[in-house]
Amino acid sequence: MPVYSMTGYASASAGGATNPESGAVSGSVSVELRSVNGRFLDLSLRLPDELRSLEPALRELVSGTFKRGKIELRVSTGRDGEGAWPQPTPQQLHLLSRLESTVQGWMSKAPPLSVHEVLQWCRSGGTSEQPDEIAMEAARAAVEGLREAREREGGRLVAILMERVQRLRELAAQAEPLVPQVVQRQQQRFLERWREALATAGAGASVSAEAQAERALSEAAAYAIRIDVAEELSRLKAHLDEIERLLAKGGELGKRLDFLIQELHREANTLGSKSAALELTSVSVEMKVAIEQMREQVQNIE
């Protein structure tokens, strides 16, 4: 299943065809869809007055396709812009002339058609398609176009996220061999300082040398546990495995990815706070940079 971004744009038009028999031109309708990221589905519609009745159908169409994102749907008709008045064709004028003659033959007091009435009929008359049908046709095409655009953008986001996942794995691999070295180094420093403290206390100490050494080893072991980050690295790799699994599965996974990004950030923070060596601190900073880059991309995934 593909991964969809919440960012995209699409447009489509329908109508504007000429009836070969009557020469009438059906009204054209254009639909634009713009989408950006959002926590939920937030749909806003901008419709001309004559198409207000389509709002429920348009909302159902969009909500049936998209689950998250701030989406703006704008509908415009051929008469909305400049140059809305059509150029009457000879077929249209001939048809109108015959119709006018027929009406006046039965209703002798009927006034002749005005130029405005002729242009109005040429713009909207003589078509079997209703404006609502034309608008829905354009909307369906635009929704499909937006779905494809969001799918393409989603594919690019997946590629970026997989690069960051690989970068985090490399950083974790750099940190792993440093952990026992750092623990051993800090234990040695702890014991050296403990011996210095005992030497300063002098021979008047009431505790035996064996008991003092045992206590020093116990304190060193407790300190080693506090600075050991092997568990954090293990959890970080487990979160990366889950992110890769979700990206391969696809579908609606933006909220789950967002939660996993928070967990990654927590592990990187703990790694930084526990690190007793400059090397591990540097790894932690690099991890935070990569995770923040992932967060920015995940915010756009549906």
Side-chain angles (χ1 to χ4, degrees):
M1 187 180 297
V3 173
Y4 293 98
S5 168
M6 287 187 283
T7 303
Y9 171 83
S11 63
S13 299
T18 302
N19 188 319
E21 296 182 359
S22 65
V25 180
S26 62
S28 63
V29 178
S30 298
V31 176
E32 282 186 298
L33 279 169
R34 302 175 187 271
S35 175
V36 295
N37 62 315
R39 294 184 61 190
F40 308 101
L41 179 62
D42 181 8
L43 175 61
S44 61
L45 303 178
R46 297 191 177 185
L47 308 176
D49 292 338
E50 62 268 29
L51 296 176
R52 289 289 182 188
S53 61
L54 289 181
E55 182 170 341
L58 290 171
R59 287 189 178 277
E60 182 178 358
L61 175 63
V62 175
S63 62
T65 306
F66 308 111
K67 303 304 178 186
R68 291 181 66 198
K70 185 176 182 180
I71 300 176
E72 178 185 339
L73 185 151
R74 182 190 297 268
V75 179
S76 58
T77 59
R79 70 185 64 182
D80 292 338
E82 296 181 0
W85 294 106
Q87 294 293 326
T89 65
Q91 295 92 335
Q92 288 177 316
L93 295 176
H94 180 66
L95 176 61
L96 277 177
S97 177
R98 287 192 293 108
L99 291 174
E100 184 181 33
S101 298
T102 301
V103 171
Q104 289 178 338
W106 285 90
M107 304 172 66
S108 58
K109 294 184 179 181
L113 291 171
S114 66
V115 173
H116 178 76
E117 290 169 337
V118 171
L119 292 176
Q120 285 278 27
W121 188 91
C122 291
R123 182 170 62 181
S124 59
T127 176
S128 59
E129 290 185 284
Q130 298 299 317
D132 289 5
E133 297 173 358
I134 298 174
M136 289 304 298
E137 178 186 348
R140 283 189 287 269
V143 165
E144 179 61 22
L146 182 61
R147 188 194 65 79
E148 294 174 354
R150 286 172 46 140
E151 181 178 347
R152 289 192 299 271
E153 180 64 20
R156 287 190 285 269
L157 293 179
V158 169
I160 294 173
L161 289 173
M162 292 301 291
E163 289 179 3
R164 299 300 182 273
V165 167
Q166 183 59 32
R167 175 58 179 158
L168 287 171
R169 290 193 185 280
E170 293 172 357
L171 291 170
Q174 292 177 22
E176 277 183 322
L178 296 175
V179 173
Q181 299 174 16
V182 171
V183 171
Q184 185 178 5
R185 188 189 312 160
Q186 293 301 316
Q187 283 181 322
Q188 187 63 33
R189 289 178 180 174
F190 187 87
L191 289 173
E192 289 175 358
R193 292 177 181 176
W194 185 274
R195 292 190 187 100
E196 291 174 0
L198 290 178
T200 302
S206 59
V207 182
S208 65
E210 293 79 5
Q212 292 172 351
E214 183 178 351
R215 181 177 178 184
L217 290 173
S218 176
E219 292 289 342
Y223 182 75
I225 292 175
R226 289 198 299 272
I227 66 172
D228 188 3
V229 294
E231 185 177 350
E232 283 74 15
L233 291 175
S234 177
R235 285 198 297 264
L236 185 139
K237 288 190 289 185
H239 296 327
L240 293 177
D241 290 340
E242 180 64 10
I243 289 174
E244 284 189 328
R245 187 190 71 82
L246 289 174
L247 292 175
K249 180 182 177 182
E252 300 170 27
L253 45 83
K255 292 182 179 180
R256 282 176 287 179
L257 286 177
D258 189 56
F259 170 76
L260 288 169
I261 293 299
Q262 294 178 28
E263 294 300 305
L264 285 176
H265 203 274
R266 191 195 314 276
E267 304 304 338
N269 271 335
T270 306
L271 176 65
S273 62
K274 279 188 172 184
S275 64
L278 183 61
E279 300 94 324
L280 281 177
T281 301
S282 177
V283 169
S284 172
V285 171
E286 290 295 325
M287 282 184 172
K288 290 178 184 179
V289 171
I291 292 169
E292 190 59 33
Q293 291 171 343
M294 292 179 70
R295 186 198 301 277
E296 293 175 0
Q297 303 304 325
V298 165
Q299 296 301 316
N300 290 320
I301 292 181
E302 184 177 24

